[in-house]
């Protein structure tokens, strides 16, 4: 009996439960978030990552509009969380149907979500490591950095590093004028943080994925900066 025939012996609910249990075997608890379960990640974290990517998609598609269908663009999602946002880009641009193809990497410094991401999102090459440890000649055409900078006390240090690893465009998405700060957030960001980088695009956006009840400004800031790496 092959797998397809075997599955017919079970109800849809039984198959779904078995699949969820299989996925759960790859889930690792975050030391700072012991309350975060796989079900919560599926219902909140992953949809939020996807929605943030959807928010940025029109601006990214405009950047890609000048590419040829035969082009292959190397894309990095830096600080990808579970990888759902990276998977959105990888799925949309796995062929040349929409425009060019994207080869999508995701880089996280913690080895908490790679095994799970490899199961959920096989189109994404999920890498565990530090951006500073990436080989010197490894650069990307586009680096996407969503809701990461607010976790750093000096975000400009990371901006400088990412620009040096980026050939064309660094796409940044962050909470806008956040006050008070969310737990784990160290800085409030606005347009002035990026003005010295000669941004290509600056846009304040409302996002259904960012609605903290305690913030006056429930918006996100989308900024696109020119890369500095050799093409």
């Amino acid at each position: 009996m092959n797998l397809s025939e075997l599955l017919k012996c079970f109800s849809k609910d039984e198959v779904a439960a078995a699949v969820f249990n299989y996925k759960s075997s790859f889930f690792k608890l975050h030391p700072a978030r012991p309350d975060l379960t796989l079900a919560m990640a599926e219902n909140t974290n992953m949809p939020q990552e996807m929605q943030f990517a959807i928010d940025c998609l029109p601006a990214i598609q405009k950047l890609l509009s000048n590419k040829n269908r035969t082009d292959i663009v190397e894309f990095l999602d830096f600080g990808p969380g579970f990888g759902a946002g990276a998977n959105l880009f990888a799925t949309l641009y796995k062929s040349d149907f929409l425009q060019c193809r994207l080869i999508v990497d995701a880089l996280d410094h913690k080895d908490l979500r790679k095994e799970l991401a490899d199961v959920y999102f096989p189109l994404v090459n999920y890498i565990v490591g530090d951006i500073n440890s990436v080989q010197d000649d490894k650069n990307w055409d586009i680096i996407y950095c969503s809701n990461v900078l607010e976790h750093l006390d000096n975000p400009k240090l990371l901006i400088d590093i990412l620009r040096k690893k980026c050939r064309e465009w660094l796409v940044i998405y962050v909470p806008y004028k956040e006050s008070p700060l969310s737990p784990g957030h160290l800085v409030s960001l606005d347009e002035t943080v990026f003005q010295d980088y000669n941004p290509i695009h600056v846009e304040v956006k409302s996002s259904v994925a960012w609605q903290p009840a305690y913030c006056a400004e429930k918006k996100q800031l989308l900024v696109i900066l020119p890369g500095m790496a050799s093409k």
Side-chain angles (χ1 to χ4, degrees):
M1 182 181 294
N2 61 36
L3 180 59
S4 296
E5 293 171 337
L6 180 62
L7 290 175
K8 292 178 182 178
C9 299
F10 300 91
S11 69
K12 289 183 179 180
D13 289 342
E14 289 173 325
V15 172
V19 170
F20 184 81
N21 288 336
Y22 171 73
K23 292 177 178 178
S24 296
S25 67
F26 298 97
F27 182 77
K28 297 179 181 179
L29 285 175
H30 195 296
R33 289 290 311 278
D35 61 313
L36 181 60
T37 64
L38 178 57
M40 187 183 299
E42 286 188 336
N43 292 328
T44 59
N45 297 68
M46 294 182 191
Q48 184 183 55
E49 291 168 12
M50 284 190 284
Q51 182 58 54
F52 284 155
I54 290 168
D55 294 344
C56 299
L57 186 59
I60 292 175
Q61 289 181 322
K62 186 175 180 179
L63 297 176
L64 295 175
S65 65
N66 292 322
K67 297 291 183 181
N68 297 316
R69 290 187 181 274
T70 54
D71 289 338
I72 297 177
V73 174
E74 293 182 281
F75 183 103
L76 173 67
D77 184 347
F78 180 84
F82 288 92
N87 183 67
L88 178 78
F89 297 116
T91 301
L92 288 173
Y93 290 95
K94 67 180 179 180
S95 74
D96 63 359
F97 177 73
L98 295 184
Q99 191 70 28
C100 55
R101 286 182 57 211
L102 293 188
I103 303 299
V104 178
D105 294 330
L107 178 63
D108 199 305
H109 70 288
K110 292 183 179 179
D111 185 15
L112 285 173
R113 295 161 179 165
K114 174 176 169 53
E115 291 184 356
L116 190 69
D118 287 345
V119 172
Y120 273 74
F121 310 123
L123 291 176
V124 176
N125 176 33
Y126 201 106
I127 305 165
V128 176
D130 190 290
I131 187 68
N132 292 305
S133 65
V134 174
Q135 60 196 71
D136 290 341
D137 61 348
K138 178 56 183 174
N139 299 315
W140 291 268
D141 298 303
I142 300 175
I143 296 181
Y144 168 76
C145 181
S146 172
N147 285 259
V148 172
L149 296 183
E150 66 274 12
H151 295 273
L152 307 174
D153 54 9
N154 189 353
K156 287 189 175 183
L157 289 177
L158 179 59
I159 293 172
D160 292 338
I161 292 171
L162 294 180
R163 289 186 70 214
K164 290 176 182 177
K165 302 298 292 181
C166 179
R167 298 188 195 99
E168 298 193 65
W169 306 292
L170 171 57
V171 180
I172 295 171
Y173 203 44
V174 292
Y176 180 65
K177 292 185 176 180
E178 187 181 11
S179 180
L181 295 175
S182 302
H185 293 187
L186 301 180
V187 292
S188 179
L189 300 163
D190 61 20
E191 300 94 334
T192 62
V193 176
F194 307 96
Q195 61 187 9
D196 293 337
Y197 295 101
N198 297 317
I200 299 167
H201 180 92
V202 179
E203 181 181 0
V204 177
K205 298 177 68 72
S206 296
S207 176
V208 294
W210 181 248
Q211 296 292 329
Y214 46 81
C215 282
E217 285 285 358
K218 300 180 180 181
K219 296 180 179 179
Q220 291 267 319
L221 179 64
L222 171 60
V223 179
I224 301 176
L225 305 179
M228 296 176 63
S230 300
K231 295 182 181 180

